[in-house]
Amino acid sequence: MISANLSAIFYLVSGVLFILALRGLSSPETSRQGNFFGILGMIIAVTVTFLSTGNFSTGFVYVLIFILVGGSIGAFIAYRIPMTAMPELVAGFHSLVGLAAVFVAISAFLNPEAFNLGYPGNIKLGSLIEMSIGAAVGAITFSGSIIAFLKLQGIMSGSPITFKGQHPLNAIILISIIVLIYLLCSTQSSNLFWILLAVSFLIGFLLIIPIGGADMPVVISMLNSYSGWAAAGIGFTLENTALIITGALVGSSGAILSYIMCKGMNRSFFNVILGGFGATDEKSNTSSKEQRPVKSGNADDAAFLMKNASSVIIVPGYGMAVAQAQHALREMVDTLKKNDIKVSYAIHPVAGRMPGHMNVLLAEANVPYDEVFELEEINNDFANADVAFVIGANDVTNPVAKTDPQSPIYGMPVLDVEKCKSVLFVKRSLSPGYAGIDNDLFYKENTLMLFADAKKMTEDITKNL
C-alpha cells in the first residue's frame, strides 16, 4: 500500500503524461512519442490504483487475474485486427468503457459503504449526482457504440433509420433523463435508478440509428467523447484523480475533434447527432445514373498518363484500406519519383471510417509526412496538377456536394479532383459510396475509370511504369 500523498503525486505525473500524449498524437511526426507517453501514464495510473487498495486479500488476487485476462485479450485483438476493421474495434472498445461506467455506478448505488459514499437510501447528494450522470452517459455510450459497431461491420444497414416523430421522441427522452436524475437524487429510489439506466440505454440506440454511414467518422469521435465523460463522472464517484483527469481529457478532446470534423463537413453538430444525414431518394436514381457512359481503361493507360505527367496527386480512401494497397501505392509513387514526377497525397477529414484512418495507413507504408496534405492545404493544387489518382475514395470526391442542393452531402467540402487535367479513378464498379449516392466524377470527360482491385491495379501500373 502507498500513502494518499504519494498516490496524488503519481496521479499528477500520469495526468501530465496523458496531456503530453494528446499533444504528441496531434501530429504524425510525434505520434509514436505520444503513444509512448500515454502507455507510460496508464501504467503508472493502474499501478498506483492497484497498490492503493489497502490489503492483499482474495479480492486483490481477483483484480490481478482480471487485469491479466483483460489485458491479454486486448493485446491479442489489437495485434490481430486489420486496419480496415479499426473503426469497428474503436466502437467496440467505447461500448466497454460505457458498460464499465454503468457497472461501477450500479456497485456504488447498491453498496455505497464500500465506496465511503454513505448508506443505501442515504447516499451523499454530490456522489449520487455524479454516479447518476456517469451511469446515464455510460449507458448511452454503450448502446450507441453497439449500433455504430453493427453499422460499420455491415451487420446492420449503414443507411439512416428514421420514423415519424423521431426527433420529438428523442427530446422527450433526454428531458426525462434529467427529470429522473433529479427525482433519484430527491428520493434515492432504487426503482428510479433502474428506470434511469433503461431509458439511457434506449436513447443511445435512438440517437445513432438515424445517422447515415457517411457520418460514421463523426459518430466514432462523438462516442469517444461520451466514453470520456462517463469515465470522469465515475472518477468523482470513486474519488480517483487519475480517472477524473483521463476522462476529462478524453471527453474534451473527443468533443473538439467532433466539432472539427463537423466543420470540415460543413455540418451542424446537432444536425449530425439528431438528423438522418443521407436519407434521400438519391439511391433510387443510382441505377439510371449508372447507364451513363463512362471511359474505362487499364494499367497501361494509367501508366502512360502518369509517365507524361509532371505532377500527380494521390487521393486515398476506404477502398485502399480494404484492398490493403498502401504498400503497393508507396512502391508506385517511388517509381514515379525516380522519373522526376512530383507526387503528393490529399487527405479528406472524413476519408475512411474514422478520424485519421488514411494517415495511419500511409504511415504504415512509411509515406513521408511532408508529402501528405489535408483538404484545405491542397485543394487549390488540383487545378494545376496533371493527374489525380483516386484509389478507393468516393463520397469525398463527389462534385454534387457543390452543385446539387438535393444531395445528402450538399455543402460538404470535397476534394476538387475534377479540376485536374486527368483523373484516374480506381474502383471495382460504379456502385455508390458509403453515403449511398452516385458519384458524378465517374462520368466526367477527363475521368478514366480503372475497374479492378485497388492493390492489383496499383501493382500492374507499377510494372508498366
Side-chain angles (χ1 to χ4, degrees):
M1 180 181 177
I2 60 177
S3 66
N5 288 337
L6 199 55
S7 295
I9 292 173
F10 279 118
Y11 281 149
L12 179 61
V13 171
S14 66
V16 172
L17 287 171
F18 291 143
I19 293 171
L20 292 174
L22 281 178
R23 178 68 184 88
L25 291 171
S26 66
S27 169
E29 291 92 335
T30 57
S31 59
R32 290 182 183 274
Q33 186 182 61
N35 267 320
F36 172 77
F37 285 140
I39 292 169
L40 182 60
M42 187 55 68
I43 290 174
I44 293 173
V46 171
T47 302
V48 171
T49 302
F50 197 53
L51 296 176
S52 299
T53 55
N55 62 76
F56 290 83
S57 63
T58 305
F60 188 91
V61 176
Y62 282 137
V63 170
L64 180 59
I65 291 172
F66 288 132
I67 286 177
L68 292 175
V69 171
S72 300
I73 293 173
F76 176 77
I77 292 174
Y79 178 75
R80 293 295 301 272
I81 199 77
M83 270 307 303
T84 49
M86 192 61 69
E88 294 96 305
L89 178 67
V90 172
F93 282 173
H94 287 163
S95 73
L96 295 179
V97 174
L99 192 60
V102 171
F103 283 156
V104 172
I106 292 173
S107 301
F109 185 79
L110 297 179
N111 188 17
E113 300 105 309
F115 298 86
N116 298 318
L117 303 178
Y119 304 93
N122 188 28
I123 300 174
K124 290 185 281 188
L125 179 60
S127 299
L128 194 57
I129 294 173
E130 293 156 6
M131 79 170 70
S132 299
I133 295 174
V137 177
I140 293 171
T141 304
F142 173 75
S143 55
S145 298
I146 292 297
I147 295 296
F149 173 84
L150 295 176
K151 283 185 174 242
L152 289 165
Q153 190 68 16
I155 299 173
M156 184 178 184
S157 172
S159 301
I161 300 173
T162 58
F163 53 86
K164 190 175 181 180
Q166 189 171 41
H167 297 335
L169 176 62
N170 289 348
I172 291 171
I173 294 177
L174 289 171
I175 292 171
S176 70
I177 288 176
I178 298 173
V179 173
L180 283 169
I181 292 176
Y182 172 78
L183 294 175
L184 176 62
C185 294
S186 301
T187 64
Q188 302 207 11
S189 166
S190 59
N191 290 333
L192 288 175
F193 179 76
W194 296 114
I195 293 172
L196 173 64
L197 287 180
V199 171
S200 299
F201 280 124
L202 175 63
I203 192 62
F205 287 117
L206 294 176
L207 284 175
I208 304 302
I209 59 172
I211 300 177
D215 275 335
M216 273 302 131
V218 180
V219 172
I220 293 295
S221 62
M222 177 197 69
L223 291 170
N224 177 58
S225 178
Y226 286 179
S227 67
W229 296 125
I234 295 304
F236 282 106
T237 300
L238 299 177
E239 297 182 348
N240 187 297
T241 308
L243 194 54
I244 295 170
I245 294 173
T246 307
L249 288 172
V250 172
S252 55
S253 60
I256 292 169
L257 179 59
S258 299
Y259 170 77
I260 291 172
M261 296 186 72
C262 284
K263 186 178 178 182
M265 296 167 63
N266 194 30
R267 286 288 182 274
S268 161
F269 182 76
F270 292 103
N271 284 345
V272 172
I273 302 307
L274 300 176
F277 177 51
T280 69
D281 296 329
E282 194 76 29
K283 287 184 181 179
S284 62
N285 298 326
T286 300
S287 58
S288 62
K289 287 189 176 182
E290 288 186 356
Q291 304 306 314
R292 293 160 59 185
V294 297
K295 292 192 295 184
S296 63
N298 54 35
D300 188 48
D301 298 324
F304 176 80
L305 286 172
M306 288 188 179
K307 280 179 186 176
N308 292 281
S310 59
S311 61
V312 175
I313 299 179
I314 311 290
V315 181
Y318 185 69
M320 183 189 77
V322 173
Q324 287 291 286
Q326 61 269 28
H327 297 284
L329 180 66
R330 169 66 194 273
E331 186 179 349
M332 185 192 81
V333 169
D334 287 344
T335 305
L336 291 172
K337 288 181 187 176
K338 289 177 183 177
N339 291 300
D340 295 323
I341 298 169
K342 179 186 176 184
V343 182
S344 50
Y345 298 80
I347 307 294
H348 192 280
V350 294
R353 296 202 183 167
M354 65 179 290
H357 201 173
M358 295 301 106
N359 300 76
V360 174
L361 285 172
L362 295 178
E364 187 181 308
N366 294 315
V367 171
Y369 299 128
D370 58 359
E371 296 177 4
V372 181
F373 299 92
E374 299 296 328
L375 178 144
E376 63 274 5
E377 297 174 314
I378 200 170
N379 228 14
N380 292 331
D381 295 346
F382 282 104
N384 300 316
D386 294 311
V387 175
F389 185 73
V390 183
I391 177 168
N394 197 335
D395 298 323
V396 298
T397 62
N398 197 337
V400 299
K402 298 175 288 185
T403 60
D404 184 5
Q406 302 305 315
S407 171
I409 64 170
Y410 181 70
M412 182 178 87
V414 293
L415 293 162
D416 294 332
V417 293
E418 77 276 7
K419 294 182 179 179
C420 272
K421 293 176 183 176
S422 299
V423 178
L424 301 174
F425 207 121
V426 184
K427 204 172 186 297
R428 289 179 181 273
S429 68
L430 290 175
S431 59
Y434 206 49
I437 58 173
D438 205 27
N439 191 343
D440 273 5
L441 184 61
F442 300 161
Y443 315 105
K444 297 286 186 181
E445 273 295 317
N446 58 335
T447 299
L448 186 69
M449 299 298 297
L450 306 173
F451 295 113
D453 172 79
K455 183 177 181 181
K456 186 177 186 311
M457 175 56 72
T458 307
E459 289 172 343
D460 289 346
I461 292 173
T462 304
K463 290 176 184 176
N464 280 280
L465 286 171

